[in-house]
């Protein structure tokens, strides 16, 4: 039973380019969460999605960042016109139902380390 | 809103010695509590979680944590650490009455010295 998959594991972009980060949840999981870990900091919640719906994007920057979780395929975190401050590790987690509210655990992927030159 | 404090950013400890990593939280509602471990260049792995019931929770790799509601603490302990325990440890909290946003503490870096 494969865990949460994220790709690429490492991504290098120049300022102004677009970054696309993919997350495939565990089999049977329909809830996806994205977190960002800046250097020397803990993880910060960005967005919570269910299939085809954004439930909570209160942690997403207002501009340049977007996320989707289509009916088919992985969840995508998209960062347009990247800047150096976007350099971080981006983690995806998935859970089978309503996650921590009912005691389910969020299972984390290995992360994508984005470096903006 | 919840918040999590991990007072110790770095904890060095000798191999086979005991260790306690401190975690305090604040919340106006009931919460679930978690400890995650992150090994270098890897994702987070769940060590243990408190949902309800016994306040002493046992997790993987010999770790345990005790929930203290009056002190709003959830300290992580291990009686004898190994070199392989060197990692970053994150305490986290989630609101029982809302959905699943997990709030993480800033992390404690545990370094086990041979």
């Amino acid at each position: 039973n494969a865990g949460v998959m994220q790709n690429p594991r490492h991504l290098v972009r120049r300022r102004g380019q677009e970054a696309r980060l993919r997350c495939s949840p565990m089999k049977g999981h329909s809830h996806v969460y994205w977190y960002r870990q800046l250097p020397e900091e803990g993880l910060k919640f960005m967005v919570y999605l269910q299939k085809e719906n954004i439930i909570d994007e209160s942690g997403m920057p207002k501009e340049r960042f977007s996320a989707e979780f289509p009916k088919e395929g992985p969840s995508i975190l998209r960062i347009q016109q990247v800047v150096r401050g976007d350099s971080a590790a981006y983690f995806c987690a998935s859970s089978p139902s309503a996650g921590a509210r009912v005691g389910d655990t969020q299972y984390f992927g290995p992360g994508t380390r984005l470096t903006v030159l | 809103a919840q918040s999590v404090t991990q007072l110790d950013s770095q904890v060095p400890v000798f191999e086979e010695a005991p260790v306690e990593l401190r975690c305090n939280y604040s919340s106006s509602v009931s919460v679930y509590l978690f400890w995650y471990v992150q090994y270098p260049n890897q994702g987070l792995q769940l060590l243990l979680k408190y949902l309800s019931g016994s306040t002493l929770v046992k997790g993987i790799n010999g770790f345990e944590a005790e929930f203290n509601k009056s002190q709003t603490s959830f300290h992580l302990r291990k009686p004898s650490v190994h070199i392989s325990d060197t990692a970053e440890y994150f305490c986290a909290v989630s609101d029982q009455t809302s959905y699943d946003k997990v709030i993480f503490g800033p992390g404690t870096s545990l370094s086990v010295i041979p």
Side-chain angles (χ1 to χ4, degrees):
Chain A
N1 187 15
V4 178
M5 310 273 289
Q6 288 188 251
N7 67 83
R9 294 291 306 274
H10 299 273
L11 181 61
V12 179
R13 285 287 179 266
R14 296 189 181 279
R15 281 180 296 171
Q17 291 184 319
E18 178 180 285
R20 280 182 180 248
L21 288 64
R22 298 177 197 78
C23 169
S24 296
M26 288 180 70
K27 186 177 180 180
H29 287 195
S30 58
H31 298 247
V32 166
Y33 318 81
W34 285 93
Y35 295 84
R36 176 165 63 175
Q37 184 180 33
L38 293 168
E40 309 298 325
E41 295 186 18
L43 279 74
K44 304 291 185 188
F45 169 83
M46 297 182 75
V47 62
Y48 163 39
L49 310 103
Q50 295 178 19
K51 285 283 188 180
E52 299 185 277
N53 288 303
I54 297 175
I55 307 302
D56 180 1
E57 55 182 349
S58 59
M60 289 274 275
K62 298 299 181 191
E63 298 178 346
R64 301 187 297 108
F65 284 72
S66 62
E68 63 177 11
F69 189 17
K71 186 176 181 180
E72 301 291 338
S75 175
I76 305 288
L77 179 67
R78 182 183 178 203
I79 311 173
Q80 295 177 291
Q81 299 175 326
V82 296
V83 300
R84 290 216 172 108
D86 297 332
S87 294
Y90 292 83
F91 290 95
C92 166
S94 73
S95 68
S97 56
R101 179 171 55 175
V102 293
D104 287 329
T105 301
Q106 294 185 17
Y107 294 88
F108 282 80
T112 294
R113 280 157 180 81
L114 172 65
T115 301
V116 179
L117 301 177
Chain B
Q2 296 84 40
S3 66
V4 180
T5 302
Q6 292 179 251
L7 290 175
D8 306 306
S9 60
Q10 295 184 344
V11 174
V13 62
F14 286 104
E15 191 175 15
E16 298 184 5
V19 70
E20 178 180 83
L21 305 183
R22 295 181 292 169
C23 171
N24 288 87
Y25 70 92
S26 66
S27 177
S28 57
V29 298
S30 296
V31 296
Y32 297 125
L33 294 155
F34 308 83
W35 274 99
Y36 284 87
V37 60
Q38 184 180 28
Y39 298 104
N41 296 315
Q42 294 187 25
L44 276 71
Q45 180 181 2
L46 181 70
L47 273 179
L48 49 79
K49 60 183 178 181
Y50 172 78
L51 304 180
S52 64
S54 173
T55 57
L56 184 62
V57 181
K58 293 189 182 298
I60 62 172
N61 301 340
F63 284 93
E64 64 179 31
E66 186 158 19
F67 170 54
N68 187 319
K69 188 174 182 179
S70 63
Q71 297 186 4
T72 61
S73 68
F74 191 55
H75 300 331
L76 181 71
R77 301 186 186 97
K78 186 170 182 177
S80 176
V81 295
H82 301 286
I83 296 290
S84 59
D85 292 324
T86 295
E88 192 83 13
Y89 291 79
F90 294 96
C91 182
V93 62
S94 179
D95 181 353
Q96 284 189 24
T97 64
S98 181
Y99 56 83
D100 322 304
K101 187 188 315 186
V102 178
I103 308 299
F104 285 85
T108 296
S109 178
L110 174 65
S111 298
V112 180
I113 305 164

